[in-house]
Amino acid sequence: LPSLRGCRALKTLCLHRNALRELPPLPASLTRLLASGNNLDEISTVTDCLNLVELDLERNKVVFLPDDLADLHSLERINVSKNLLSSLEVPGMSRRAPKLRELKIASNPLGSMPWWLADVSAGSLEEIFSQDYKAIRDMREMPGYIRTLDLGNRGLLHAPALHPHFPHITTLKLSHNSIAFLPAHLSDLVWMRRLHLEDNFITFLPDLSRMSHLKDLRVQGNRLATLTPTIRHLTELEVLYIGQNPLSDLPDLTGCVALTTLWMAGCRFTSLPLSIADIPSLENFYCEGNPLKFPEPAVYEHGGNDEVLRHMRQIANNRREQAAMEDFRQKKGEEKAAKAAARMEGF
């Protein structure tokens, strides 16, 4: 589209379902921008519409909101549902939020809900976010120095933004909710000791390597098809629950030198990696309910989980001994060849 900035009397602009990839320059006079059903991924030009009252961008590909959105002092209705927003963090939005009459944000891969959501009047927000709204309002009454936060079984669709509001939290429970995505800032909670995320709809975990003090991680009963390899950096981790997920592969956990309990029951493992046998402190191991071909089902039937771990450790030890023997033979062969070469040089 050509620039519309010169259309100084334009009040309403309807661009529904036009396969637009970008918005044209817009006039400051615009009060209603209706542009649903396009392919927009960047909307920074909307903040040129200083008199904007209604913004409808449903069913686009918007990945972030403009930083100066809160400067639109007349804005009352926002519809950004069914986009690709992972965050709603906008500077100064807490001062704009109370004036919103309608806020639609459903069907976005949001990692967290911002604290300014609690400043929106309850009637302006979609009903499905009522529990998220209530949780944030409750959290805003809590002191920032708390160490334990239990938001389990509250019907949450999204995790509330936690950092920097609770920077020293050590225990976080988000169990038994309907959370699908986790905030990227989760790894900034570097003092975390216990993180309970079981029984949600989580499909992936963010980088956890900065949680160097994490001791207890529970993510069972989710939709994880893979685990972040950064888990191997958690040297203080003692308890790891990953069962009841569609997992078929496991990252190397030998770096988790303090791990004593590994629960991986009810997944899709057909073969267990021998690296499990090299986790130095592992004592409590659970793998029932997997369609295992290695170790053979007969191993579990003979002695349960303990027998599986013992069997794998025996195989791993045998392979180490064989590798050591091969190294020994190779060195002997090299020494013999070196001596023979020396004798030949003497003639």
Side-chain angles (χ1 to χ4, degrees):
L1 286 177
S3 174
L4 300 175
R5 190 159 289 161
C7 302
R8 298 177 181 177
L10 187 64
K11 298 294 184 183
T12 299
L13 178 60
C14 182
L15 299 172
H16 292 318
R17 296 183 294 278
N18 276 287
L20 294 177
R21 294 184 178 275
E22 61 181 13
L23 291 171
L26 299 169
S29 60
L30 201 65
T31 59
R32 300 178 70 217
L33 175 59
L34 313 175
S36 65
N38 287 289
N39 295 313
L40 303 172
D41 58 6
E42 197 273 332
I43 57 169
S44 60
T45 57
V46 302
T47 57
D48 294 334
C49 307
L50 301 178
N51 298 302
L52 197 65
V53 175
E54 179 178 358
L55 177 62
D56 183 0
L57 295 168
E58 183 181 2
R59 297 192 309 278
N60 276 281
K61 298 179 180 179
V62 180
V63 295
F64 63 89
L65 298 178
D67 284 346
D68 48 352
L69 186 67
D71 294 334
L72 299 180
H73 302 298
S74 300
L75 192 60
E76 296 180 354
R77 293 186 292 276
I78 301 175
N79 184 354
V80 289
S81 58
K82 299 179 182 178
N83 275 278
L84 301 176
L85 294 168
S86 60
S87 173
L88 295 175
E89 295 293 347
V90 176
M93 200 60 187
S94 58
R95 67 175 182 270
R96 167 64 26 211
K99 299 178 182 179
L100 293 177
R101 294 167 52 193
E102 181 180 83
L103 177 63
K104 293 184 177 180
I105 54 176
S107 300
N108 278 289
L110 296 170
S112 64
M113 279 296 185
W115 276 36
W116 63 258
L117 194 74
D119 295 313
V120 177
S121 62
S124 303
L125 196 62
E126 294 154 291
E127 179 62 28
I128 59 171
F129 296 114
S130 60
Q131 295 303 317
D132 299 56
Y133 176 82
K134 186 177 185 303
I136 294 174
R137 290 185 70 90
D138 290 346
M139 288 168 56
R140 287 175 56 159
E141 300 297 323
M142 300 176 185
Y145 55 79
I146 66 168
R147 296 292 187 269
T148 298
L149 181 60
D150 188 351
L151 296 174
N153 200 27
R154 293 194 58 160
L156 300 181
L157 296 180
H158 304 87
L162 298 170
H163 192 273
H165 311 292
F166 299 118
H168 303 296
I169 192 171
T170 59
T171 297
L172 174 62
K173 296 181 180 180
L174 290 169
S175 315
H176 312 291
N177 284 295
S178 298
I179 297 170
F181 302 96
L182 293 171
H185 69 248
L186 193 66
S187 60
D188 293 329
L189 301 172
V190 296
W191 300 107
M192 191 73 71
R193 301 290 192 277
R194 286 170 289 279
L195 180 58
H196 291 193
L197 304 170
E198 65 266 29
D199 295 324
N200 279 285
F201 300 111
I202 299 168
T203 54
F204 69 93
L205 296 176
D207 183 349
L208 301 176
S209 59
R210 296 187 62 203
M211 291 186 178
S212 58
H213 302 292
L214 192 64
K215 295 181 179 296
D216 186 342
L217 175 60
R218 306 190 184 211
V219 294
Q220 73 271 24
N222 278 283
R223 296 180 178 178
L224 295 169
T226 59
L227 288 178
T228 170
T230 59
I231 289 180
R232 69 177 183 270
H233 299 301
L234 304 179
T235 57
E236 295 186 20
L237 189 66
E238 298 175 357
V239 176
L240 177 60
Y241 279 57
I242 59 172
Q244 297 174 350
N245 277 291
L247 292 166
S248 58
D249 192 25
L250 190 70
D252 187 350
L253 299 177
T254 53
C256 301
V257 294
L259 189 65
T260 60
T261 299
L262 175 58
W263 191 78
M264 49 188 294
C267 294
R268 298 179 183 175
F269 292 97
T270 57
S271 178
L272 297 180
L274 276 178
S275 59
I276 292 175
D278 294 326
I279 302 174
S281 302
L282 188 61
E283 298 176 357
N284 308 306
F285 176 67
Y286 306 92
C287 65
E288 64 269 23
N290 282 286
L292 290 177
K293 295 181 180 178
F294 175 80
E296 299 82 359
V299 176
Y300 179 81
E301 293 169 1
H302 176 69
N305 293 305
D306 291 342
E307 180 62 19
V308 171
L309 183 57
R310 188 199 67 78
H311 180 77
M312 292 180 65
R313 282 175 170 166
Q314 184 177 20
I315 293 175
N317 187 56
N318 289 342
R319 290 189 179 182
R320 280 192 294 269
E321 290 179 353
Q322 290 175 1
M325 184 62 70
E326 288 296 326
D327 287 344
F328 177 77
R329 289 173 179 169
Q330 183 177 350
K331 289 179 180 178
K332 283 297 183 183
E334 291 173 352
E335 290 175 359
K336 185 176 181 180
K339 290 179 179 179
R343 286 196 299 269
M344 292 295 293
E345 290 177 359
F347 288 105

